[in-house]
Amino acid sequence: MSDFWTEGDPIADTAAPDGPIETRWERRQFSAKLVNPANRRKLTVIVVGTGLAGGSAAATLAEAGYHVKSYCYQDSPRRAHSIAAQGGINAAKNYRNDGDSIYRLFYDTVKGGDFRARESNVYRLASVSLNIIDQCVAQGVPFAREYGGLLDNRSFGGTQVSRTFYARGQTGQQLLLGAYQAMERQIGLGNIEMNARHEMLELIIVEGKARGIVVRDMVTGEITTEMADAVVLASGGYGNVFFLSTNAKGCNVTASWRAHRKGALFANPCYTQIHPTCIPESGTHQSKLTLMSESLRNDGRVWVPKRAEDCQKPAGDIAEEDRDYYLERIYPSFGNLVPRDIASRAAKNVCDEGRGVGPGGLGVYLDFADAIKRLGRKAVEAKYGNLFEMYARITGEDPYETPMRIYPAVHYTMGGLWVDYDLQSTIPGLFVVGEANFSDHGANRLGASALMQGLGDGYFVLPTTLGNYLAAGPFEKVSQDHEEVKAARKQVEDRIAKFLSIDGDRTVDSFHRELGHIMWEYCGMERTEEGLTKAIGLIRSLREEFWTRVKVPGTGEQLNQNLEKAGRVADFFELAELMCIDALHRRESCGGHFRAESQTPDGEALRHDDQFSYVAAWEYAAGDAGKPTLHKEQLEFEYVHPSTRSYK
């Protein structure tokens, strides 16, 4: 019991088979009920989101014969944020013959997640990774190839093998175009009903099952209720709660949060990933940050001056013996390719020591001089040319001549809606895929694994497990006049009317920026009990002010981006409080969650497996004074036994 939360009954994943882990997914596929092809045409599935998870799911379900209704707030499905992924996608193909295997990818992912992920889910992810590459190559995705024509690989953080497939620095774009063209084919055949510029604002539950959503046409403002036999959320992560992140500005938590308010448990919200290689913030005018791919750490060397007094000098004027290649020094086995949480904290530490470079001392160097000398400029340009060009355009500096300046920034969220092995939430009929769920990465995601999970869920896992649920259908049709449908629609209409009626004196962005500052300061790279307690009070106070002072001009019957942002920020306020409560309750350090009170003498994360080896799944508490309820799912490790995570 706490001032901030209550503890409820434990929760368990009852969908996962037992027995040998190598055959669990195969046995689950066989035991899943099937839907007759003729019956699939009678079943409708709503898919919210068109990124790698949503796009691949919609295309695959439509190919199988289901009628799919797809929704995205972008003007085109291919504008989903998956398009921004740069570095690559993991798969245990072992083309380099360097000792990789499904088991090693499974091991690396469990260890990389600091032993806070389910073994069953992670092993399945590793095993389907092989199929993902074959699927994408068949679609024509232009993966990089070696001179002889074979698919090329490079290394990413947290591994000692090369298993990352890539398309220069635009892998996400090429993979998304593959899923998008598969979607477009089904749209042309009439199997997918595409609804761009529509935002989900509420989940409709009828007789305990997810049966539809309430959406707003973002151009006309029209509010409609859309019904189906099942709902799939593929709406991405919630990193924009921090205001400044590498996410697209439109990324939000509203679809997931509306489901959470209706009964879907939210798991591990405090697990957020701070990416170590981002272009540093340049001033208060900024509204987002830019990622520089982790793949750059293959050939770039990270360093800062050994002496604080050298930080104001140009990088070229600092002698080699006066440079501290701190990742290579502290972690000699992995060097610059340590996992993201470790690289980010190390960058923060050297900057806190006063050895950071650039404005405000919030930056470290990523230097390619050795790589250019070893490989030649043309070879470096072939690998990273578009990334170097992007950096030069944003900063006005030439990374071929001077080192890049980088600093950690919010990038990905490992937390999300709780799902079982079948990817079904605690609401029957509501399935959650990709970054929107919590299932595969534990407390820290390894680089190039997000694309793997999104496509694995959409192409290979969901079509099996959703079919098992839909085999009980077709379900009774739900009328637009059903009481639950009308109630959900009225909730949306009342909420919009409330935003428009406040007529305050502060912009939505001003509240969002202030909320983001609170989150970065107290729930960012380092957290303390005192800071988190303070943050909860500040968030509650700011949320109360938001509901009395926010200004939303215009009407609801038109394109109104201020209205869109108001709804998203209102949900961010509630999420931010839960993130801080989750971080407060977890009195250990693990992965991306670092509690200053729980660290080793040399500053590394210190887990407490005897107390916190569980998934924290939170139940929504209605009302300002309500306390969320914590449900624990105990984690069991039969194959990769928890140990001190060391990359030294």
Side-chain angles (χ1 to χ4, degrees):
M1 186 67 92
S2 156
D3 292 340
F4 298 111
W5 73 87
T6 60
E7 190 161 332
D9 296 331
I11 188 171
D13 174 15
T14 57
D18 53 13
I21 198 168
E22 296 84 357
T23 60
R24 285 179 190 172
W25 175 232
E26 185 180 352
R27 285 182 284 116
R28 180 68 189 105
Q29 286 177 292
F30 181 74
S31 66
K33 297 173 184 174
L34 302 177
V35 181
N36 182 303
N39 287 338
R40 293 176 201 160
R41 294 191 293 271
K42 305 172 187 175
L43 293 163
T44 300
V45 180
I46 285 173
V47 180
V48 180
T50 58
L52 289 180
S56 60
T60 309
L61 293 171
E63 184 83 40
Y66 298 104
H67 179 66
V68 177
K69 294 181 178 180
S70 178
Y71 297 86
C72 69
Y73 63 76
Q74 295 90 350
D75 56 2
S76 165
R78 68 177 183 272
R79 296 291 296 275
H81 186 57
S82 298
I83 205 167
Q86 297 171 355
I89 177 171
N90 289 329
K93 287 285 196 180
N94 194 32
Y95 284 166
R96 287 290 184 89
N97 196 27
D98 55 2
D100 201 10
S101 63
I102 290 173
Y103 195 90
R104 187 174 294 280
L105 175 52
F106 160 63
Y107 172 86
D108 286 345
T109 305
V110 172
K111 178 185 174 184
D114 218 353
F115 305 96
R116 291 294 177 263
R118 288 187 193 138
E119 284 190 330
S120 293
N121 288 64
V122 176
Y123 194 91
R124 176 176 65 188
L125 177 65
S127 62
V128 302
S129 71
L130 309 180
N131 301 335
I132 295 170
I133 302 304
D134 296 340
Q135 167 85 2
C136 295
V137 169
Q139 288 176 335
V141 172
F143 286 123
R145 293 179 181 269
E146 295 177 329
Y147 180 77
L150 300 176
L151 294 177
D152 195 15
N153 292 113
R154 57 189 178 197
S155 298
F156 258 60
T159 69
Q160 292 179 309
V161 297
S162 295
R163 64 163 67 102
T164 304
F165 296 78
Y166 65 98
R168 291 187 82 192
Q170 48 185 250
T171 315
Q173 179 180 9
Q174 299 304 325
L175 293 173
L176 185 60
L177 289 174
Y180 168 71
Q181 67 188 18
M183 269 190 79
E184 284 296 315
R185 178 172 179 270
Q186 296 302 320
I187 291 169
L189 292 172
N191 298 329
I192 294 179
E193 181 185 316
M194 187 63 231
N195 300 276
R197 304 301 296 274
H198 282 71
E199 184 170 21
M200 172 186 163
L201 296 179
E202 194 57 81
L203 179 69
I204 298 172
I205 298 178
V206 177
E207 296 178 358
K209 295 184 173 66
R211 294 301 306 271
I213 60 176
V214 182
V215 296
R216 178 177 179 270
D217 184 320
M218 295 163 64
V219 177
T220 67
E222 181 184 8
I223 296 168
T224 56
T225 51
E226 307 293 338
M227 312 310 297
D229 297 293
V231 176
V232 178
L233 294 187
S235 49
Y238 49 87
N240 273 350
V241 69
F242 290 88
F243 186 72
L244 286 176
S245 81
T246 65
N247 291 181
K249 283 303 292 176
C251 294
N252 64 83
V253 75
T254 290
S256 293
W257 199 254
R258 297 290 104 192
H260 176 55
R261 288 175 64 104
K262 285 290 180 74
L265 300 187
F266 207 107
N268 300 335
C270 78
Y271 290 166
T272 53
Q273 181 163 89
I274 314 295
H275 198 294
T277 53
C278 301
I279 297 178
E281 182 181 353
S282 61
T284 57
H285 63 282
Q286 269 186 271
S287 60
K288 78 176 301 294
L289 298 171
T290 304
L291 171 73
M292 297 308 295
S293 170
E294 180 170 317
S295 63
L296 294 169
R297 288 196 276 145
N298 270 273
D299 292 305
R301 300 179 70 192
V302 180
W303 65 275
V304 292
K306 289 181 177 178
R307 299 188 301 268
E309 54 267 30
D310 288 342
C311 291
Q312 301 305 316
K313 293 181 180 178
D317 292 350
I318 301 173
E320 184 70 18
E321 60 269 20
D322 294 328
R323 301 178 178 188
D324 179 12
Y325 295 91
Y326 58 89
L327 291 178
E328 298 172 27
R329 171 175 56 82
I330 302 171
Y331 307 101
S333 292
F334 284 73
N336 294 296
L337 285 173
V338 292
R340 292 173 176 178
D341 57 324
I342 290 174
S344 292
R345 281 198 296 274
K348 179 182 185 300
N349 290 341
V350 295
C351 290
D352 288 348
E353 292 169 7
R355 295 192 289 139
V357 298
L362 295 177
V364 300
Y365 287 126
L366 182 61
D367 197 338
F368 286 84
D370 285 358
I372 293 171
K373 185 177 179 181
R374 184 178 76 252
L375 303 171
R377 174 167 172 154
K378 282 189 176 180
V380 172
E381 196 169 337
K383 281 185 174 182
Y384 310 115
N386 65 311
L387 298 171
F388 277 45
E389 180 185 356
M390 183 169 66
Y391 181 87
R393 287 188 178 189
I394 291 172
T395 65
E397 300 170 5
D398 183 357
Y400 292 104
E401 301 295 331
T402 61
M404 291 182 179
R405 284 181 297 106
I406 56 169
Y407 192 69
V410 174
H411 175 61
Y412 186 89
T413 51
M414 285 73 69
L417 292 179
W418 185 93
V419 292
D420 62 14
Y421 190 68
D422 285 354
L423 304 181
Q424 185 170 211
S425 73
T426 47
I427 299 174
L430 178 67
F431 291 76
V432 191
V433 294
E435 191 178 353
N437 74 30
F438 88 101
S439 65
D440 292 359
H441 305 296
N444 174 65
R445 177 176 69 76
L446 291 182
S449 288
L451 309 188
M452 176 174 62
Q453 186 211 349
L455 292 180
D457 285 355
Y459 281 136
F460 300 110
V461 179
L462 183 72
T464 295
T465 59
L466 181 63
N468 178 70
Y469 173 80
L470 292 174
F475 303 105
E476 184 179 341
K477 297 296 181 186
V478 178
S479 164
Q480 300 281 354
D481 295 325
H482 192 286
E483 288 303 315
E484 295 293 343
V485 178
K486 291 194 293 185
R489 180 185 179 120
K490 188 173 187 307
Q491 287 171 350
V492 171
E493 292 171 340
D494 290 348
R495 186 174 164 88
I496 289 173
K498 174 67 173 174
F499 288 133
L500 295 169
S501 68
I502 296 170
D503 196 27
D505 59 358
R506 283 191 63 179
T507 65
V508 177
D509 279 348
S510 73
F511 280 106
H512 193 182
R513 187 184 292 276
E514 188 173 343
L515 173 64
H517 179 76
I518 294 169
M519 293 300 290
W520 180 252
E521 191 71 22
Y522 301 110
C523 197
M525 274 193 282
E526 183 172 299
R527 300 145 180 196
T528 66
E529 180 173 353
E530 180 184 2
L532 291 164
T533 304
K534 180 179 179 180
I536 293 168
L538 291 172
I539 291 166
R540 289 176 174 176
S541 175
L542 188 62
R543 183 176 69 214
E544 187 177 331
E545 185 181 345
F546 172 85
W547 285 105
T548 57
R549 289 188 60 190
V550 72
K551 174 76 171 181
V552 181
T555 71
E557 290 78 42
Q558 63 180 135
L559 176 65
N560 190 338
Q561 291 186 316
N562 286 291
L563 179 59
E564 296 161 20
K565 289 190 285 188
R568 296 166 188 171
V569 172
D571 290 333
F572 277 143
F573 272 117
E574 295 185 3
L575 167 69
E577 182 176 332
L578 184 62
M579 288 172 67
C580 292
I581 290 173
D582 188 38
L584 183 64
H585 112 276
R586 190 171 283 277
R587 298 183 308 279
E588 67 164 353
S589 294
C590 57
H593 169 64
F594 189 81
R595 284 287 295 267
E597 304 95 334
S598 183
Q599 56 183 302
T600 63
D602 55 354
E604 300 289 351
L606 179 62
R607 295 195 322 270
H608 299 297
D609 293 336
D610 56 330
Q611 301 175 58
F612 295 103
S613 186
Y614 60 77
V615 174
W618 296 91
E619 181 182 344
Y620 180 74
D624 290 338
K627 296 179 182 179
T629 302
L630 170 63
H631 302 273
K632 299 177 181 178
E633 179 200 338
Q634 293 296 327
L635 292 169
E636 297 178 5
F637 296 94
E638 301 175 66
Y639 295 87
V640 183
H641 299 290
S643 59
T644 300
R645 193 174 59 137
S646 174
Y647 293 91
K648 295 185 175 181

